[in-house]
């Protein structure tokens, strides 16, 4: 049985990258699979978070999930810290992961910056908590943006090493070769890597110091229009299919955003605007962005005004999630040889 898991960190406002690369796609799976969508508050604190802001942002991501069309009856929506099995399995995985694997993680290098000795130990073992998030439910599919690909590969390596290291006892107890599945990343569509509006060689990110570099999920129509108008471009008209995007990252980024917002294939958008001026294209992109995002940000605002409701969604989601995680964790402990788990 296929099971979907994904997570978003409650750190600051959500960007169009989070929305198009992940959150909006989550709703696509809710009718076909059993889905768990988590607000990963324990991942957030790998970098310092102000407690009041962490609390508000956790409810904010929950509201964004709902505003993007996730039905809390059909999906399990919860925050990570309310289900203790995530941390428990992460510890076992810390002992399975090799330091050499963690040393290859590009996100750690970016986030730790120059003073790596000063980064938290949590930031370093971040990927093994992420593997635990997914595998404590034995989830098989993980919709994420392109920047999470390397972490997903590590999760697969951890699953494989656990299955290998404990192979004999897994076969003895379960009559199967594998206890954890190899989770598949779902990275598909035209906006798996939404780039900064100021510099299309950098990812659009909530941590960029310039607010003009990104569209936030709660930006109003005027702000969206201004950010698109000021977005960096080059002097040539938009390329057609033949000319392509070689050396034109800004054009490629804006076309990708358009295609994702319109839910059209990228090539259809390329064909339509081949030879057009950026000014003309930007007008239509603005209109599309505003009409697509306005209902979402209205709903987001409405939901954020009702924290009691959002807390209730997370609590009942956490109860359901724990019900699934508990037997997997119990069996994991028995496999490892912990007394009390059989
Ligand atoms: P986070 O919180 O940084 O981002 C949430 C999701 O948004 C995607 N994303 C983007 N997609 C396209 N273009 C962009 N510019 C862009 N920026 C962000 C991310 O790829 C992600 O899908 N480690 C994860 C959270 C996590 C998780 C998990 C995900 C924790 N445990 C288990 C999946 C499964 C993170 O930091 O995402």
């Amino acid at each position: 049985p296929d099971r979907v898991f994904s997570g978003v960190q409650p750190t600051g406002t959500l960007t169009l990258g989070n929305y198009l690369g992940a959150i909006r796609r989550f709703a696509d799976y809710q009718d076909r699979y059993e889905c768990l969508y988590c607000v990963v508050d324990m991942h957030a604190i790998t970098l310092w978070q102000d407690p009041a802001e962490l609390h508000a942002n956790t409810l904010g991501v929950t509201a964004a999930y709902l505003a993007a069309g996730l039905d809390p009856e059909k999906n399990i929506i919860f925050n990570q810290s309310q289900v203790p099995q995530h941390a428990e399995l992460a510890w076992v995985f810390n002992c399975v992961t090799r330091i050499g694997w963690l040393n290859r993680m590009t996100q750690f290098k970016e986030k730790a910056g120059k003073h790596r000795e000063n980064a938290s130990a949590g930031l370093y073992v971040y990927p093994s908590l992420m593997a635990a998030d997914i595998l404590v439910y034995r989830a098989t599919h993980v919709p994420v943006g392109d920047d999470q690909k390397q972490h997903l590969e590590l999760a697969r390596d951890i699953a494989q090493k656990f299955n290998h290291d404990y192979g004999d006892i897994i076969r003895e107890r379960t009559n199967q070769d594998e206890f954890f599945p190899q989770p598949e990343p779902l990275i598909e569509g035209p906006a798996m890597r939404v780039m900064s509006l100021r510099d299309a060689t950098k990812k659009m990110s909530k941590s960029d110091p310039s607010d003009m570099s990104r569209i936030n999920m709660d930006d109003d129509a005027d702000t969206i229009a201004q950010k698109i108008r000021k977005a960096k471009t080059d002097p040539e008209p938009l390329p057609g299919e033949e000319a392509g995007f070689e050396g034109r990252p800004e054009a490629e980024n804006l076309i990708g955003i358009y295609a994702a917002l319109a839910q059209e294939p990228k090539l259809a958008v390329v064909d339509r605007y081949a030879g057009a001026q950026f000014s003309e294209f930007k007008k239509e992109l603005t209109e599309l962005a505003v009409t697509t995002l306005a209902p979402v940000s209205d709903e987001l605002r409405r939901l954020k005004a009702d924290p009691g409701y959002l807390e209730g969604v997370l609590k009942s989601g956490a109860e359901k999630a724990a019900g699934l995680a508990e037997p997997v964790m119990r069996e994991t402990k028995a496999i490892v040889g912990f007394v009390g788990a059989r």
Side-chain angles (χ1 to χ4, degrees):
D2 285 326
R3 193 178 268 173
V4 170
F5 182 96
S6 198
V8 173
Q9 294 197 68
T11 48
T13 53
L14 295 167
T15 71
L16 188 64
N18 298 129
Y19 183 61
L20 296 177
I23 298 172
R24 171 154 138 176
R25 296 163 56 227
F26 292 172
D28 294 345
Y29 305 106
Q30 64 185 347
D31 296 316
R32 283 182 286 151
Y33 300 106
E34 181 176 25
C35 300
L36 296 111
Y37 294 114
C38 187
V39 187
V40 291
D41 48 7
M42 296 199 303
H43 275 114
I45 63 165
T46 57
L47 299 175
W48 165 254
Q49 302 297 318
D50 174 83
E53 279 174 25
L54 178 66
H55 192 276
N57 289 334
T58 300
L59 299 183
V61 174
T62 310
Y65 282 173
L66 302 177
L70 289 183
D71 178 344
E73 299 299 319
K74 282 190 198 157
N75 304 276
I76 301 179
I77 296 174
F78 69 108
N79 58 313
Q80 193 182 29
S81 62
Q82 282 205 77
V83 181
Q85 286 84 2
H86 290 240
E88 239 182 323
L89 185 58
W91 182 258
V92 174
F93 284 174
N94 279 338
C95 302
V96 172
T97 311
R98 304 292 91 184
I99 287 177
W101 300 357
L102 295 173
N103 284 343
R104 285 199 286 275
M105 295 295 112
T106 55
Q107 187 165 302
F108 173 74
K109 291 179 200 166
E110 281 161 25
K111 291 199 175 179
K114 277 193 211 123
H115 305 287
R116 207 172 288 179
E117 306 286 297
N118 237 342
S120 71
L123 188 65
Y124 190 61
V125 296
Y126 180 118
S128 75
L129 177 58
M130 181 160 161
D133 295 339
I134 301 163
L135 294 172
V136 82
Y137 304 102
R138 299 211 269 194
T140 50
H141 294 85
V142 185
V144 282
D146 192 59
D147 61 336
Q148 295 302 315
K149 203 171 171 178
Q150 196 183 33
H151 287 157
L152 254 295
E153 279 159 15
L154 189 75
R156 295 168 62 89
D157 290 342
I158 290 174
Q160 199 176 12
K161 183 157 165 61
F162 183 94
N163 291 338
H164 174 269
D165 290 358
Y166 294 101
D168 289 344
I169 186 154
I170 290 171
R171 275 182 290 275
E172 191 181 302
R173 290 185 63 90
T174 68
N175 279 323
Q176 284 177 342
D177 289 333
E178 302 205 319
F179 182 64
F180 290 116
Q182 302 264 309
E184 294 271 350
L186 297 170
I187 304 177
E188 48 203 7
M192 289 307 96
R193 202 170 172 77
V194 178
M195 307 308 277
S196 157
L197 299 178
R198 306 303 299 167
D199 175 357
T201 63
K202 286 199 314 205
K203 187 180 75 161
M204 181 181 285
S205 153
K206 39 196 168 189
S207 58
D208 193 299
S210 165
D211 195 55
M212 292 301 284
S213 71
R214 62 180 162 261
I215 292 172
N216 302 309
M217 266 182 86
D218 53 8
D219 281 347
D220 61 27
D222 289 345
T223 310
I224 293 174
Q226 192 200 23
K227 287 176 175 176
I228 294 178
R229 197 167 53 244
K230 297 233 164 120
K232 190 177 166 211
T233 54
D234 60 39
E236 302 295 316
L238 288 156
E241 199 183 324
E242 243 120 86
F245 290 112
E246 188 60 34
R248 308 195 60 192
E250 294 87 7
E252 180 162 29
N253 188 36
L254 295 178
I255 292 274
I257 291 173
Y258 186 108
L261 285 169
Q263 298 190 283
E264 284 185 72
K266 201 163 163 184
L267 258 183
V269 183
V270 171
D271 283 346
R272 185 160 348 123
Y273 290 101
Q277 298 299 321
F278 270 108
S279 54
E280 180 194 336
F281 173 69
K282 279 180 165 183
K283 267 192 215 125
E284 303 202 8
L285 176 60
T286 300
E287 199 181 295
L288 175 66
V290 168
T291 52
T292 313
L293 296 177
V296 184
S297 64
D298 288 349
E299 183 64 1
L300 189 57
R301 220 165 299 123
R302 194 184 68 77
L303 287 161
K304 276 191 192 168
D306 193 351
Y309 170 70
L310 297 170
E311 281 167 24
V313 167
L314 293 177
K315 183 159 189 287
S316 78
E319 281 162 11
K320 291 183 225 163
L324 299 175
E326 200 275 332
V328 178
M329 195 60 224
R330 192 170 0 104
E331 184 62 21
T332 304
K333 287 174 163 177
I335 288 169
V336 171
F338 290 159
V339 171
R342 285 158 208 263

